[in-house]
């Protein structure tokens, strides 16, 4: 049976599928449930220096709430509700996870409202045993009046300079990025990231400032920021794959890539790894399905790998091929399209043969008639 073990920035994970920071990660009880699941690690909710309540409700809608419109994704503008960094470094969380799943990595996510806050939180992580890694969030798009740091390249570089002067030793530090859409932006982001001893990059955060409209009630579906929120789930999978692929090409090989965005099945996870991810986080699906999604997605990925003859994720990680004439029928309706095209070709051939046979029969008939009429 295929192995899903991997390493993220040197941290060993038995399973390359784990939770994204966000839904179902805010309390010790929620973190313990993830620890008890098949998730390869436990990543806590993005923390600020002090507890905060976040934006007004309703601030998040997911596929289930969207009901029969069956939109494959979610939107949120939570405004970083969280219990504060000390809570995520408390015994309740750290030891709770360690007791529920001995050896499973526990990671914290830091999303300070200012640089000073991030530096203080880093210092506190450095003084806490039992935290195996830090994800520094440079990409929250939902704080009114605050820019998304990953889009302000000068600020991002300045922040990373300071962060790496003070990052605790021995705790690998990764950064979570916003999605990029333009090749010069990928290039600029990678140039900056390559200057630092970053252990991994997690991409992508939500696609910022989307607006889902409820046509029945003629209003936005969430309350904060005039309805604007970060788009996640199935809507953004292709953008996530593109970011993983492009950053894998541009980042130095020492920086691992963790893919996140719209992964709902083993095949989605396979695609992320094919584009270069060493591990895959689940956000929206974890929200809608609960922690059992990790086992399901891992089982589906293992089955797909077995079917393809891959025994480890290294066998196909980053090996996405550029397009060439596909040896097997494509998906995305191409199977149907090619079947239709194939069917059309066959019926044209049949028509041609029918024409030749009719012509030959006509010639034979004429010859017979001529023979019978001849004296
Ligand atoms: C929030 C949203 C994010 O995309 C994120 O990375 C962190 C926090 C939020 O709105 O709470």
């Amino acid at each position: 049976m295929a192995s899903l073990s991997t390493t993220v920035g040197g941290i060993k994970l038995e399973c390359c599928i784990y939770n994204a920071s966000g839904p179902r990660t805010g309390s010790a009880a929620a973190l313990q449930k993830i620890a008890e699941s098949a998730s390869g690690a436990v990543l806590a909710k993005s923390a600020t220096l002090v507890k905060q309540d976040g934006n007004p409700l309703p601030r998040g809608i997911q596929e289930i709430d969207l009901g029969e419109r069956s939109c494959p994704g979610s939107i949120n503008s939570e405004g970083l509700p969280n219990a504060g960094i000390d809570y995520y470094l408390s015994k309740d969380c750290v030891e709770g996870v360690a007791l529920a799943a001995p050896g499973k990595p526990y990671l914290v996510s830091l999303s300070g409202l200012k640089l000073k806050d991030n530096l203080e939180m880093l210092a506190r992580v450095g003084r806490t045993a039992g935290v195996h890694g830090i994800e520094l969030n440079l990409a929250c798009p939902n704080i009114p009046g605050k820019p998304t740091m990953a889009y302000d390249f000068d600020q991002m570089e300045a922040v990373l300079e300071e962060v790496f002067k003070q990052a605790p030793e021995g705790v690998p530090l990764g950064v979570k990025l916003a999605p990029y859409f333009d090749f010069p932006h990928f290039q600029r982001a990678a140039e900056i990231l390559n200057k630092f001893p970053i252990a991994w990059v997690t991409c992508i955060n939500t696609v910022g400032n989307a607006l889902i409209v409820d046509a029945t009630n003629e209003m936005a579906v969430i309350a904060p920021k005039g309805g604007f929120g970060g788009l996640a789930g199935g809507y953004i999978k292709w953008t996530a794959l593109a970011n993983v692929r492009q950053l894998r090409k541009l980042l130095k090989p020492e920086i691992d890539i963790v893919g996140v965005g719209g992964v709902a099945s083993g095949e989605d996870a396979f695609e992320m790894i094919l584009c270069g991810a060493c591990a895959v986080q689940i956000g929206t699906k974890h929200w809608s399905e609960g922690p059992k999604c990790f086992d399901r997605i891992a089982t589906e990925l293992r089955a797909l790998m077995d079917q393809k003859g891959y025994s480890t994720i290294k066998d196909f990680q980053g090996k996405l091929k550029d397009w060439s004439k596909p040896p097997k029928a494509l998906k995305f309706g191409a199977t149907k399209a090619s079947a239709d095209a194939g069917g059309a070709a066959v019926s044209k051939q049949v028509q041609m043969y029918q024409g030749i046979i009719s012509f030959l029969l006509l010639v034979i008939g004429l010859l017979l008639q001529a023979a019978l009429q001849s004296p």
Side-chain angles (χ1 to χ4, degrees):
M1 166 139 338
S3 160
L4 299 188
S5 76
T6 190
T7 56
V8 176
I11 307 165
K12 191 158 173 26
L13 274 63
E14 285 308 316
C15 172
C16 63
I17 309 293
Y18 69 105
N19 73 284
S21 178
R24 298 179 185 263
T25 54
S27 69
L31 296 172
Q32 202 169 313
K33 282 187 189 147
I34 299 170
E36 286 161 355
S37 78
S39 179
V42 181
L43 172 57
K45 190 150 184 87
S46 273
T48 48
L49 187 55
V50 284
K51 172 184 185 317
Q52 49 177 51
D53 293 335
N55 292 339
L57 300 172
R59 58 192 179 197
I61 291 276
Q62 42 137 323
E63 50 195 329
I64 290 172
D65 304 317
L66 287 162
E68 58 195 27
R69 300 179 72 191
S70 80
C71 298
S74 62
I75 187 169
N76 80 78
S77 180
E78 297 207 309
L80 278 165
N82 78 97
I85 187 62
D86 289 341
Y87 177 76
Y88 299 106
L89 299 178
S90 69
K91 283 190 172 176
D92 264 6
C93 292
V94 182
E95 285 181 19
V97 167
L99 284 172
K104 190 176 277 196
Y106 176 59
L107 315 170
V108 291
S109 165
L110 308 183
S111 201
L113 298 178
K114 38 188 196 287
L115 174 60
K116 225 171 116 237
D117 293 0
N118 276 329
L119 298 180
E120 176 57 30
M121 288 194 283
L122 284 169
R124 293 188 193 182
V125 175
R127 294 195 291 268
T128 309
V131 177
H132 301 94
I134 301 163
E135 188 176 270
L136 179 68
N137 188 357
L138 300 178
C140 176
N142 299 335
I143 309 299
K146 295 257 176 194
T148 302
M149 199 175 325
Y151 291 143
D152 180 342
F153 290 119
D154 291 342
Q155 200 197 355
M156 179 164 97
E157 183 163 7
V159 164
L160 289 174
E161 290 270 359
E162 292 308 313
V163 160
F164 279 100
K165 277 185 202 156
Q166 304 195 30
E169 284 205 6
V171 190
L173 191 150
V175 297
K176 184 155 181 186
L177 295 178
Y180 297 109
F181 304 93
D182 202 12
F183 277 76
H185 293 173
F186 284 117
Q187 191 76 42
R188 183 82 184 96
E191 269 165 24
I192 293 168
L193 297 165
N194 281 337
K195 292 182 186 173
F196 297 97
I198 291 170
W200 76 89
V201 155
T202 303
C203 58
I204 55 175
N205 207 315
T206 55
V207 172
N209 296 310
L211 179 63
I212 296 187
V213 171
D214 169 355
T216 308
N217 296 299
E218 302 178 14
M219 57 169 71
V221 298
I222 56 171
K225 282 182 70 180
F228 284 65
L231 199 63
Y235 304 118
I236 70 165
K237 190 182 85 170
W238 316 111
T239 299
L241 289 171
N243 275 255
V244 169
R245 170 77 164 160
Q246 194 58 16
L247 286 171
R248 185 61 288 157
K249 285 185 178 174
L250 297 174
L251 288 176
K252 57 188 179 184
E254 303 92 279
I255 302 181
D256 282 331
I257 299 194
V258 176
V260 55
V263 173
S265 70
E267 190 173 56
D268 295 335
F270 180 85
E271 292 170 9
M272 281 283 189
I273 297 166
L274 202 59
C275 288
C278 67
V280 176
Q281 294 179 353
I282 315 294
T284 295
K285 242 324 167 226
H286 177 210
W287 187 7
S288 62
E289 188 176 331
K292 67 179 189 305
C293 72
F294 303 114
D295 185 41
R296 178 184 59 74
I297 294 170
T299 303
E300 289 171 6
L301 175 58
R302 240 184 254 108
L304 185 58
M305 287 168 62
D306 285 342
Q307 184 194 320
K308 285 173 174 280
Y310 294 136
S311 49
T312 72
I313 67 169
K314 286 266 182 261
D315 292 347
F316 60 98
Q317 186 187 348
K319 294 190 179 164
L320 180 74
K321 290 175 267 189
D322 285 338
W323 189 90
S324 60
K325 195 167 184 307
K328 293 183 190 152
L330 273 180
K331 288 186 184 170
F332 308 122
T335 314
K336 188 179 175 304
S338 60
D340 290 350
V346 168
S347 64
K348 266 196 180 149
Q349 261 183 347
V350 170
Q351 276 173 8
M352 190 179 75
Y353 288 130
Q354 280 174 338
I356 292 171
I357 289 166
S358 306
F359 175 73
L360 287 175
L361 285 174
L362 184 70
V363 171
I364 292 167
L366 287 174
L367 286 174
L368 274 174
Q369 202 179 16
L372 289 173
Q373 282 172 358
S374 65

